[in-house]
PDB file of all heavy atoms in Angstrom:
ATOM      1  N   GLN A  18     -41.788 -59.640  29.638  1.00 82.00           N
ATOM      2  CA  GLN A  18     -41.311 -58.380  30.174  1.00 82.00           C
ATOM      3  C   GLN A  18     -39.779 -58.392  30.239  1.00 82.00           C
ATOM      4  O   GLN A  18     -39.185 -59.323  30.777  1.00 82.00           O
ATOM      5  CB  GLN A  18     -41.883 -58.163  31.590  1.00 82.00           C
ATOM      6  CG  GLN A  18     -41.433 -56.897  32.264  1.00 82.00           C
ATOM      7  CD  GLN A  18     -42.124 -55.656  31.724  1.00 82.00           C
ATOM      8  OE1 GLN A  18     -43.100 -55.755  30.996  1.00 82.00           O
ATOM      9  NE2 GLN A  18     -41.607 -54.496  32.075  1.00 82.00           N
ATOM     10  N   GLN A  20     -36.209 -57.490  31.550  1.00 94.00           N
ATOM     11  CA  GLN A  20     -35.540 -57.081  32.784  1.00 94.00           C
ATOM     12  C   GLN A  20     -34.227 -56.407  32.427  1.00 94.00           C
ATOM     13  O   GLN A  20     -33.517 -56.870  31.519  1.00 94.00           O
ATOM     14  CB  GLN A  20     -35.268 -58.275  33.697  1.00 94.00           C
ATOM     15  CG  GLN A  20     -36.514 -58.866  34.349  1.00 94.00           C
ATOM     16  CD  GLN A  20     -37.204 -59.860  33.445  1.00 94.00           C
ATOM     17  OE1 GLN A  20     -36.551 -60.699  32.835  1.00 94.00           O
ATOM     18  NE2 GLN A  20     -38.512 -59.771  33.356  1.00 94.00           N
ATOM     19  N   GLY A  25     -21.511 -50.696  36.655  1.00 97.00           N
ATOM     20  CA  GLY A  25     -20.405 -49.841  36.275  1.00 97.00           C
ATOM     21  C   GLY A  25     -20.309 -48.528  37.028  1.00 97.00           C
ATOM     22  O   GLY A  25     -19.366 -47.768  36.816  1.00 97.00           O
ATOM     23  N   ALA A  41     -30.048 -56.420  29.061  1.00 93.00           N
ATOM     24  CA  ALA A  41     -31.461 -56.785  29.021  1.00 93.00           C
ATOM     25  C   ALA A  41     -31.611 -58.299  28.933  1.00 93.00           C
ATOM     26  O   ALA A  41     -30.827 -58.984  28.277  1.00 93.00           O
ATOM     27  CB  ALA A  41     -32.139 -56.134  27.822  1.00 93.00           C
ATOM     28  N   PRO A  58     -30.121 -36.247  43.763  1.00 93.00           N
ATOM     29  CA  PRO A  58     -30.943 -36.046  44.964  1.00 93.00           C
ATOM     30  C   PRO A  58     -31.756 -34.761  44.879  1.00 93.00           C
ATOM     31  O   PRO A  58     -31.224 -33.694  44.562  1.00 93.00           O
ATOM     32  CB  PRO A  58     -29.899 -35.968  46.082  1.00 93.00           C
ATOM     33  CG  PRO A  58     -28.746 -36.750  45.571  1.00 93.00           C
ATOM     34  CD  PRO A  58     -28.706 -36.487  44.100  1.00 93.00           C
ATOM     35  N   TYR A  68     -30.731 -45.243  22.543  1.00 94.00           N
ATOM     36  CA  TYR A  68     -30.340 -46.001  21.357  1.00 94.00           C
ATOM     37  C   TYR A  68     -31.592 -46.589  20.743  1.00 94.00           C
ATOM     38  O   TYR A  68     -32.402 -47.200  21.438  1.00 94.00           O
ATOM     39  CB  TYR A  68     -29.371 -47.122  21.725  1.00 94.00           C
ATOM     40  CG  TYR A  68     -28.838 -47.846  20.517  1.00 94.00           C
ATOM     41  CD1 TYR A  68     -27.748 -47.348  19.812  1.00 94.00           C
ATOM     42  CD2 TYR A  68     -29.437 -49.016  20.058  1.00 94.00           C
ATOM     43  CE1 TYR A  68     -27.261 -47.987  18.694  1.00 94.00           C
ATOM     44  CE2 TYR A  68     -28.961 -49.659  18.940  1.00 94.00           C
ATOM     45  CZ  TYR A  68     -27.869 -49.147  18.262  1.00 94.00           C
ATOM     46  OH  TYR A  68     -27.403 -49.777  17.142  1.00 94.00           O
ATOM     47  N   THR A  72     -33.290 -48.381  14.077  1.00 88.00           N
ATOM     48  CA  THR A  72     -32.475 -47.627  13.117  1.00 88.00           C
ATOM     49  C   THR A  72     -30.986 -47.767  13.366  1.00 88.00           C
ATOM     50  O   THR A  72     -30.176 -47.416  12.517  1.00 88.00           O
ATOM     51  CB  THR A  72     -32.832 -46.132  13.171  1.00 88.00           C
ATOM     52  OG1 THR A  72     -32.504 -45.621  14.469  1.00 88.00           O
ATOM     53  CG2 THR A  72     -34.324 -45.933  12.909  1.00 88.00           C
ATOM     54  N   TYR A  76     -28.355 -41.388  20.420  1.00 95.00           N
ATOM     55  CA  TYR A  76     -28.625 -39.974  20.655  1.00 95.00           C
ATOM     56  C   TYR A  76     -28.167 -39.605  22.061  1.00 95.00           C
ATOM     57  O   TYR A  76     -28.253 -40.408  22.980  1.00 95.00           O
ATOM     58  CB  TYR A  76     -30.126 -39.685  20.533  1.00 95.00           C
ATOM     59  CG  TYR A  76     -30.712 -40.096  19.212  1.00 95.00           C
ATOM     60  CD1 TYR A  76     -31.230 -41.375  19.029  1.00 95.00           C
ATOM     61  CD2 TYR A  76     -30.746 -39.215  18.142  1.00 95.00           C
ATOM     62  CE1 TYR A  76     -31.765 -41.773  17.812  1.00 95.00           C
ATOM     63  CE2 TYR A  76     -31.287 -39.602  16.917  1.00 95.00           C
ATOM     64  CZ  TYR A  76     -31.788 -40.878  16.764  1.00 95.00           C
ATOM     65  OH  TYR A  76     -32.316 -41.263  15.555  1.00 95.00           O
ATOM     66  N   THR A  92     -23.776 -58.374  21.065  1.00 78.00           N
ATOM     67  CA  THR A  92     -25.066 -59.043  21.217  1.00 78.00           C
ATOM     68  C   THR A  92     -26.149 -57.985  21.319  1.00 78.00           C
ATOM     69  O   THR A  92     -25.916 -56.867  21.766  1.00 78.00           O
ATOM     70  CB  THR A  92     -25.086 -59.922  22.477  1.00 78.00           C
ATOM     71  OG1 THR A  92     -24.816 -59.104  23.622  1.00 78.00           O
ATOM     72  CG2 THR A  92     -24.040 -61.002  22.374  1.00 78.00           C
ATOM     73  N   THR A  95     -27.206 -55.446  25.059  1.00 92.00           N
ATOM     74  CA  THR A  95     -26.409 -54.624  25.962  1.00 92.00           C
ATOM     75  C   THR A  95     -26.204 -53.238  25.378  1.00 92.00           C
ATOM     76  O   THR A  95     -25.900 -53.079  24.194  1.00 92.00           O
ATOM     77  CB  THR A  95     -25.034 -55.267  26.208  1.00 92.00           C
ATOM     78  OG1 THR A  95     -25.214 -56.579  26.733  1.00 92.00           O
ATOM     79  CG2 THR A  95     -24.240 -54.439  27.207  1.00 92.00           C
ATOM     80  N   ASN A 101     -17.232 -39.286  29.935  1.00 98.00           N
ATOM     81  CA  ASN A 101     -15.892 -38.706  30.032  1.00 98.00           C
ATOM     82  C   ASN A 101     -15.946 -37.337  30.690  1.00 98.00           C
ATOM     83  O   ASN A 101     -16.981 -36.665  30.688  1.00 98.00           O
ATOM     84  CB  ASN A 101     -15.268 -38.592  28.642  1.00 98.00           C
ATOM     85  CG  ASN A 101     -15.089 -39.934  27.960  1.00 98.00           C
ATOM     86  OD1 ASN A 101     -14.824 -40.948  28.608  1.00 98.00           O
ATOM     87  ND2 ASN A 101     -15.223 -39.946  26.646  1.00 98.00           N
ATOM     88  N   LEU A 103     -16.004 -36.261  33.739  1.00 98.00           N
ATOM     89  CA  LEU A 103     -17.104 -36.161  34.696  1.00 98.00           C
ATOM     90  C   LEU A 103     -16.922 -34.987  35.645  1.00 98.00           C
ATOM     91  O   LEU A 103     -15.785 -34.632  36.022  1.00 98.00           O
ATOM     92  CB  LEU A 103     -17.231 -37.453  35.481  1.00 98.00           C
ATOM     93  CG  LEU A 103     -17.838 -38.629  34.685  1.00 98.00           C
ATOM     94  CD1 LEU A 103     -17.510 -39.958  35.353  1.00 98.00           C
ATOM     95  CD2 LEU A 103     -19.333 -38.453  34.542  1.00 98.00           C
ATOM     96  N   VAL A 110     -28.066 -41.164  40.391  1.00 98.00           N
ATOM     97  CA  VAL A 110     -28.346 -42.569  40.103  1.00 98.00           C
ATOM     98  C   VAL A 110     -28.709 -42.647  38.621  1.00 98.00           C
ATOM     99  O   VAL A 110     -29.579 -41.907  38.153  1.00 98.00           O
ATOM    100  CB  VAL A 110     -29.491 -43.114  40.968  1.00 98.00           C
ATOM    101  CG1 VAL A 110     -29.790 -44.567  40.589  1.00 98.00           C
ATOM    102  CG2 VAL A 110     -29.151 -43.012  42.452  1.00 98.00           C
ATOM    103  N   ARG A 122     -37.541 -40.466  17.430  1.00 88.00           N
ATOM    104  CA  ARG A 122     -36.367 -39.782  17.981  1.00 88.00           C
ATOM    105  C   ARG A 122     -36.753 -38.454  18.610  1.00 88.00           C
ATOM    106  O   ARG A 122     -36.041 -37.936  19.464  1.00 88.00           O
ATOM    107  CB  ARG A 122     -35.323 -39.567  16.887  1.00 88.00           C
ATOM    108  CG  ARG A 122     -35.765 -38.625  15.777  1.00 88.00           C
ATOM    109  CD  ARG A 122     -34.652 -38.429  14.762  1.00 88.00           C
ATOM    110  NE  ARG A 122     -35.060 -37.566  13.665  1.00 88.00           N
ATOM    111  CZ  ARG A 122     -34.989 -36.244  13.701  1.00 88.00           C
ATOM    112  NH1 ARG A 122     -34.527 -35.642  14.790  1.00 88.00           N
ATOM    113  NH2 ARG A 122     -35.365 -35.527  12.686  1.00 88.00           N
ATOM    114  N   LEU A 123     -37.892 -37.919  18.219  1.00 89.00           N
ATOM    115  CA  LEU A 123     -38.325 -36.629  18.741  1.00 89.00           C
ATOM    116  C   LEU A 123     -38.791 -36.710  20.194  1.00 89.00           C
ATOM    117  O   LEU A 123     -38.860 -35.690  20.870  1.00 89.00           O
ATOM    118  CB  LEU A 123     -39.450 -36.072  17.872  1.00 89.00           C
ATOM    119  CG  LEU A 123     -39.084 -35.827  16.408  1.00 89.00           C
ATOM    120  CD1 LEU A 123     -40.305 -35.357  15.635  1.00 89.00           C
ATOM    121  CD2 LEU A 123     -37.948 -34.825  16.294  1.00 89.00           C
ATOM    122  N   LEU A 125     -37.649 -39.353  22.425  1.00 92.00           N
ATOM    123  CA  LEU A 125     -36.849 -40.341  23.155  1.00 92.00           C
ATOM    124  C   LEU A 125     -36.654 -39.954  24.608  1.00 92.00           C
ATOM    125  O   LEU A 125     -36.406 -40.799  25.446  1.00 92.00           O
ATOM    126  CB  LEU A 125     -35.483 -40.510  22.481  1.00 92.00           C
ATOM    127  CG  LEU A 125     -35.469 -41.308  21.182  1.00 92.00           C
ATOM    128  CD1 LEU A 125     -34.114 -41.173  20.504  1.00 92.00           C
ATOM    129  CD2 LEU A 125     -35.799 -42.778  21.427  1.00 92.00           C
TER     130      LEU A 125
END
Side-chain angles (χ1 to χ4, degrees):
Q18 179 76 12
Q20 289 85 45
Y68 186 84
T72 64
Y76 304 90
T92 58
T95 303
N101 298 326
L103 286 161
V110 177
R122 65 178 178 86
L123 299 177
L125 285 170

